[in-house]
């Protein structure tokens, strides 16, 4: 097959591993920086060009679109979908999961456990907003944040009020969340591929930190999931419409709660912690699914 990887970083671990795995299975792979592409949108022969050349036909695409280029990257992915190319994650699934608030609303509609979450934009609503999520301590999250940046633990009501006022003053979109203290600075990353959780790790925040992101110094170890955790992770990925997803759970007193569903989960941490060849599993999944899916989407249209 001819496989495209939409990624801005050919040198990134995840991109490199996917290239390696695809080549090892006999495929031709091209890493494409979506920002460098431009498109001809037309009825008869939609195409994508880069540096004066038509990129030609692909059988499958693996989107690894960075959060900062979601808008343009999604447009390029949609163009590939219009061209009948099988995408392991659809542009719609990616758009849903990139919007933290939209994700929470979709997951709650499906009855999936979440930390109690509030959203508001007027400073005068702050007192009720804080009460709504059960008071302090609570977590304030910037909707646009990634890798733990813009996630703040407000330990007292006073601190919560000040942080919320400051963010609202800056016109930032924020979410307020019940703090799951019993998780003790740990979360569970479930790597979903199709209808299976193929790998899972527990990430533990470094001492004095509540955010367990590996980019913030957290450490990862292999973890065994309960059947309930497995089922919640699969349902969350399905709700977003993602075949490849990193579902982040917290172990709360009231069962597993979903914090986030990531459409471009990193491979480095999970492969190291679990010793699984996740990249190879993704390529195998594409081999099994690309043919039937691309025929169907070409017939139905995918936007
Ligand atoms: P990001 O997408 O920026 O990584 P997250 O929502 O995943 O933001 O939060 C970062 C980390 O903060 C999580 O991995 C988790 O360890 C911690 N965290 C986030 N929300 C909560 C919460 N409601 N209760 C307890 N810990 C939380």
């Amino acid at each position: 097959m001819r496989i495209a990887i939409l990624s801005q970083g050919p040198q990134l671990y995840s991109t490199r591993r996917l290239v390696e795995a695809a080549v090892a299975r006999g495929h031709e792979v091209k890493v494409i920086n979506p920002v460098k592409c431009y498109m001809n949108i037309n009825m008869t022969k939609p195409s994508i060009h880069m540096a004066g050349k038509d990129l030609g036909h692909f059988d499958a695409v693996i989107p690894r679109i960075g959060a900062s280029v979601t808008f343009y990257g999604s447009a390029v992915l949609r163009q590939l979908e219009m061209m009948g190319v099988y995408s392991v994650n659809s542009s719609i699934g990616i758009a849903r999961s990139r919007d933290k608030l939209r994700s929470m609303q979709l997951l709650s509609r499906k009855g999936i456990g979440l930390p109690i979450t509030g959203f508001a934009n007027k400073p005068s609503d702050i007192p009720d907003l804080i009460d709504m999520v059960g008071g302090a301590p609570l977590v304030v999250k910037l909707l646009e944040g990634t890798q733990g940046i813009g996630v703040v633990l407000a330990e007292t009501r006073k601190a919560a009020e000040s942080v919320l006022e400051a963010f609202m003053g800056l016109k930032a979109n924020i979410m307020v969340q019940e703090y799951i203290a019993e998780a003790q600075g740990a979360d569970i990353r479930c790597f979903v591929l199709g209808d299976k959780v193929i790998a899972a790790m527990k990430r533990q925040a470094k001492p004095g930190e509540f955010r367990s992101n590996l980019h913030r110094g957290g450490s990862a170890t292999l973890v065994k999931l309960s059947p309930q955790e497995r089922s919640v992770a699969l349902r969350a990925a399905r709700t977003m419409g993602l075949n490849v997803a990193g579902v982040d759970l917290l172990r709360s007193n009231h069962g597993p709660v979903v914090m986030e569903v990531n459409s471009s989960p990193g491979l480095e941490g999970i492969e190291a912690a679990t010793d699984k060849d996740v990249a190879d599993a993704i390529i195998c999944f594409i081999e099994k699914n690309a043919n039937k899916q691309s025929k169907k989407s070409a017939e139905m249209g995918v936007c």
Side-chain angles (χ1 to χ4, degrees):
M1 285 198 293
R2 191 160 184 257
I3 301 176
I5 302 180
L6 285 188
S7 163
Q8 285 188 289
Q11 76 293 349
L12 297 175
Y13 178 92
S14 303
T15 311
R16 278 195 287 113
R17 288 284 299 118
L18 288 164
V19 170
E20 261 169 39
V23 170
R25 297 188 65 85
H27 303 297
E28 183 192 335
V29 199
K30 193 168 173 65
V31 178
I32 298 170
N33 182 344
V35 177
K36 293 192 177 161
C37 295
Y38 49 100
M39 297 158 263
N40 182 342
I41 303 162
N42 67 69
M43 257 168 31
T44 49
K45 199 176 176 297
S47 63
I48 300 188
H49 288 229
M50 192 159 72
K53 287 204 183 83
D54 188 334
L55 289 178
H57 175 74
F58 291 97
D59 301 293
V61 53
I62 306 175
R64 304 280 316 175
I65 299 166
S68 60
V69 296
T70 300
F71 176 76
Y72 201 85
S74 301
V76 174
L77 181 58
R78 272 198 304 276
Q79 181 80 356
L80 287 163
E81 289 171 338
M82 305 278 290
M83 292 159 66
V85 180
Y86 169 75
S87 180
V88 69
N89 272 344
S90 69
S91 56
I92 295 172
I94 294 171
R96 281 190 199 114
S97 67
R98 283 286 155 90
D99 181 334
K100 289 192 189 196
L101 186 65
R102 182 178 178 188
S103 309
M104 291 282 135
Q105 288 172 321
L106 284 167
L107 294 171
S108 72
R109 204 169 79 187
K110 292 284 175 189
I112 294 170
L114 306 170
I116 302 167
T117 302
F119 183 66
N121 68 356
K122 280 209 317 291
S124 56
D125 295 329
I126 289 175
D128 193 31
L129 184 66
I130 294 178
D131 292 338
M132 225 153 81
V133 301
L138 54 77
V139 177
V140 181
K141 292 185 184 181
L142 276 177
L143 288 199
E144 288 78 23
T146 58
Q147 300 178 350
I149 299 164
V151 179
V152 179
L153 173 61
E155 296 189 72
T156 63
R157 190 175 181 99
K158 270 266 142 285
E161 283 168 358
S162 312
V163 172
L164 287 166
E165 272 169 22
F167 278 153
M168 284 179 180
L170 294 168
K171 301 268 171 269
N173 284 319
I174 41 167
M175 232 161 53
V176 179
Q177 228 167 45
E178 157 198 23
Y179 175 51
I180 310 293
E182 61 272 24
Q184 299 181 333
D187 76 351
I188 312 283
R189 159 60 61 95
C190 306
F191 200 107
V192 175
L193 180 63
D195 57 3
K196 292 197 179 66
V197 179
I198 59 160
M201 63 177 166
K202 179 174 173 172
R203 295 177 298 198
Q204 181 69 52
K206 64 181 183 196
E209 172 62 75
F210 81 104
R211 296 166 298 178
S212 55
N213 304 70
L214 301 183
H215 288 95
R216 313 226 69 77
S219 55
T221 48
L222 185 69
V223 71
K224 189 158 169 39
L225 297 180
S226 69
Q228 193 192 7
E229 287 165 344
R230 199 170 283 278
S231 145
V232 166
L234 291 175
R235 284 172 59 217
R238 203 173 314 130
T239 301
M240 294 295 134
L242 294 170
N243 286 316
V244 174
V247 181
D248 294 342
L249 304 176
L250 291 172
R251 286 179 162 165
S252 84
N253 289 338
H254 45 99
V257 289
V258 175
M259 245 182 339
E260 189 171 28
V261 183
N262 195 316
S263 60
S264 287
L267 303 192
E268 189 165 14
I270 196 97
E271 288 198 332
T274 64
D275 220 13
K276 295 247 166 75
D277 192 339
V278 174
D280 181 68
I282 292 174
I283 303 299
C284 290
F285 180 88
I286 291 173
E287 287 171 8
K288 285 201 195 92
N289 292 280
N291 219 355
K292 51 183 182 199
Q293 196 60 31
S294 64
K295 277 189 197 132
K296 201 168 91 191
S297 56
E299 281 160 19
M300 290 167 46
V302 282
C303 267

